[in-house]
Amino acid sequence: MPVFGLHWWVAQRDSRRDMDEHASGLRAFFLYAVLLSTLIPVIQSFLAVINRLFLEANQLSRLAAVVGSQQTWSDNLIAMLMNALIAAYFVTVLRADWKQITLLETFINVRRISRYLWVLYGLLLTVAGVQQILHFILQIPPSTFGSLLRANFINGLAMTLVGTPVWVWAWKTVQDSLSETAERESLLRLGLLYALSLGGVITVLTSGGIVLYLLLRQILGENILLQIFVQQISGPLSIGVPLAGVWAYYGNWLTRSMSEVPEAPRRSGMRRLYSYILSAVGLGAAFLGLTMLLAFVVDALLGGQAWGGTLRLSLTAALSTLGVGLPLWLLTWRPMQTEALSPGDSGDHARRSLVRKIYLYLALFVSVIGGMISAGSLVYLLLNTLLGGGASNVLQASLKALEIFALFVLLGVYHGLTLGKDGKTAGRSLTEMHTTFQTLIF
């Protein structure tokens, strides 16, 4: 207390003497960081109280609580009281600063960061709570009535009841601030919408791939009891469903934010960034699935493995990965390719887009590096065999290395041809534009 009191008194004195000190970014960061580091423990302590209360009401051990299992009522009440007192004091300091400061840009930027951190904190609690509830619902008797699963349901219910109001309040605060131009055009807001939308869609696709993998195992002849099958898919489904909601909600807001951009080239560029990121994810998954599928073909022809063993698992893994990645790549890449090959200004902007060039050159770079590594592995394997290394399954390993090398070559050739076509189309468009120029010869 003496150390804090002395230094805080000096900081307050300096801020009263110097307006630049009063409006400094370091002071704004300190004040908002104090509020975050005191109010979040208040919420966590309240969550611990609710969590243990629900568990005890259902005659379950308090040790099963996801938050505060080792704490007592007095621990949480003291934490809430002390942190709330400190937060209340700094709220008054912050409000006074907002009234006295004339140069508010730094405080506005720090406040924006604080608001979005609250959004993420509330959303994290809500999604985690919904996931636990769905995981419980997707379980079937007799597992439903197990004490562990009931504890998970209660933990999820507590997190949802505490996290949802926090998220709703934080997001409403952010939405209400959009009346200000700086908030609407904030790069932080745009970045958060991109991150939540992309994170949601990638998680949903990953969960869908796991569910598809389990379904294919059933279709290809593996006997899995219905109860066990439901238990296996309950995990990915319970994660995918709430993240699908996050993707749908924030994806809609991202689309609305893009549509409000007045400049058409910038608006198209924002959509293009989103599509190329998803296209890269889909291409990577499709490439991996195709690699696994060709490896399965080699193992099936030369490996001598039983169908009921690793072969079936290899095929289901390959098909599920390919089934998730290939549609995603086609749905995102084909519109971008159509746009780039279209005539006019829109096509010209798409071809000259920095995001498109990064995408194509990155694909070429990956193909070159991957081709070198796979070719080096193949040459090493063959030389090792010729020099008496005595490696087993040389033909099988060589074919796998060869098919990986061939896939990397195809990847590079396709994107190299696409890059060349962009250049030719751009040159043709430029020539057509030049032919319309009126010329005066002296």
Side-chain angles (χ1 to χ4, degrees):
M1 286 296 293
V3 172
F4 163 74
L6 174 63
H7 289 81
W8 180 243
W9 175 78
V10 173
Q12 288 289 80
R13 183 196 62 185
D14 292 344
S15 66
R16 286 191 294 268
R17 292 178 177 177
D18 187 356
M19 187 53 65
D20 290 337
E21 183 71 25
H22 205 167
S24 69
L26 189 59
R27 179 181 176 86
F29 171 79
F30 172 78
L31 293 176
Y32 279 102
V34 168
L35 291 182
L36 281 170
S37 59
T38 51
L39 291 177
I40 287 180
V42 170
I43 297 172
Q44 290 294 110
S45 298
F46 179 70
L47 173 59
V49 171
I50 296 296
N51 202 348
R52 291 199 307 271
L53 180 63
F54 286 176
L55 288 172
E56 292 171 357
N58 285 270
Q59 299 179 350
L60 295 173
S61 173
R62 60 190 297 169
L63 297 178
V66 69
V67 177
S69 60
Q70 302 292 333
Q71 296 172 350
T72 63
W73 289 85
S74 59
D75 292 335
N76 299 134
L77 291 176
I78 290 171
M80 286 190 286
L81 177 62
M82 295 304 299
N83 281 284
L85 288 174
I86 297 172
Y89 168 72
F90 280 99
V91 165
T92 59
V93 173
L94 193 57
R95 286 178 176 174
D97 283 0
W98 275 98
K99 294 178 181 179
Q100 298 170 8
I101 295 173
T102 55
L103 300 174
L104 294 173
E105 183 178 359
T106 302
F107 268 69
I108 289 174
N109 292 334
V110 177
R111 182 184 63 181
R112 185 183 303 129
I113 295 173
S114 174
R115 285 174 175 174
Y116 283 111
L117 287 176
W118 278 110
V119 170
L120 291 175
Y121 172 66
L123 184 62
L124 178 63
L125 282 180
T126 304
V127 169
V130 172
Q131 185 272 328
Q132 291 291 310
I133 294 173
L134 288 176
H135 188 265
F136 169 80
I137 293 174
L138 290 170
Q139 301 294 315
I140 61 176
S143 300
T144 303
F145 303 102
S147 59
L148 179 60
L149 283 174
R150 282 195 291 134
N152 289 340
F153 171 78
I154 292 170
N155 291 336
L157 182 62
M159 285 191 289
T160 304
L161 291 176
V162 174
T164 303
V166 174
W167 172 70
V168 170
W169 163 77
W171 183 245
K172 185 178 183 303
T173 303
V174 167
Q175 293 299 93
D176 292 342
S177 67
L178 295 182
S179 58
E180 305 171 15
T181 305
E183 295 296 332
R184 286 196 307 272
E185 299 178 354
S186 166
L187 293 178
L188 180 62
R189 173 183 172 82
L190 186 62
L192 181 76
L193 293 177
Y194 268 114
L196 291 175
S197 300
L198 291 170
V201 64
I202 291 172
T203 306
V204 168
L205 291 172
T206 304
S207 302
I210 296 174
V211 174
L212 181 60
Y213 168 76
L214 295 171
L215 284 172
L216 287 173
R217 286 175 59 182
Q218 282 278 79
I219 294 172
L220 294 177
E222 184 174 350
N223 280 326
I224 304 176
L225 295 176
L226 179 61
Q227 178 180 345
I228 297 176
F229 177 74
V230 172
Q231 291 175 356
Q232 289 177 339
I233 67 172
S234 62
L237 277 180
S238 64
I239 296 173
V241 170
L243 267 296
V246 172
W247 172 29
Y249 183 75
Y250 283 104
N252 178 51
W253 276 108
L254 179 61
T255 303
R256 292 175 62 176
S257 298
M258 291 177 183
S259 62
E260 292 172 357
V261 175
E263 301 88 357
R266 186 181 170 210
R267 186 168 59 246
S268 300
M270 293 167 65
R271 292 197 183 99
R272 205 174 291 126
L273 174 63
Y274 186 77
S275 296
Y276 276 116
I277 292 175
L278 289 180
S279 179
V281 174
L283 179 61
F287 185 89
L288 179 61
L290 192 56
T291 303
M292 296 166 64
L293 184 61
L294 293 177
F296 160 78
V297 173
V298 173
D299 289 336
L301 294 176
L302 302 175
Q305 302 173 8
W307 167 251
T310 58
L311 277 182
R312 179 164 50 201
L313 296 179
S314 300
L315 180 59
T316 52
L319 291 178
S320 58
T321 306
L322 193 61
V324 170
L326 186 60
L328 176 63
W329 178 65
L330 291 175
L331 288 173
T332 52
W333 169 249
R334 291 180 65 183
M336 294 297 100
Q337 187 70 349
T338 302
E339 181 188 27
L341 296 178
S342 63
D345 288 340
S346 60
D348 188 50
H349 281 293
R351 286 187 296 273
R352 292 189 290 109
S353 167
L354 180 61
V355 177
R356 179 176 176 85
K357 291 185 181 298
I358 291 175
Y359 176 87
L360 292 175
Y361 278 111
L362 184 61
L364 285 173
F365 176 77
V366 170
S367 66
V368 171
I369 299 300
M372 289 171 59
I373 293 175
S374 56
S377 300
L378 178 61
V379 172
Y380 168 79
L381 182 63
L382 295 176
L383 288 177
N384 185 47
T385 304
L386 290 175
L387 295 175
S392 59
N393 298 326
V394 177
L395 179 59
Q396 186 176 352
S398 301
L399 287 176
K400 287 184 178 180
L402 183 61
E403 55 100 0
I404 294 175
F405 173 73
L407 287 178
F408 276 118
V409 170
L410 290 175
L411 180 70
V413 169
Y414 176 76
H415 288 90
L417 291 175
T418 302
L419 195 61
K421 187 181 293 184
D422 281 0
K424 292 179 180 178
T425 307
R428 193 183 313 117
S429 300
L430 192 63
T431 302
E432 293 174 355
M433 182 177 64
H434 286 171
T435 57
T436 63
F437 287 178
Q438 294 183 353
T439 307
L440 177 64
I441 303 177
F442 292 92

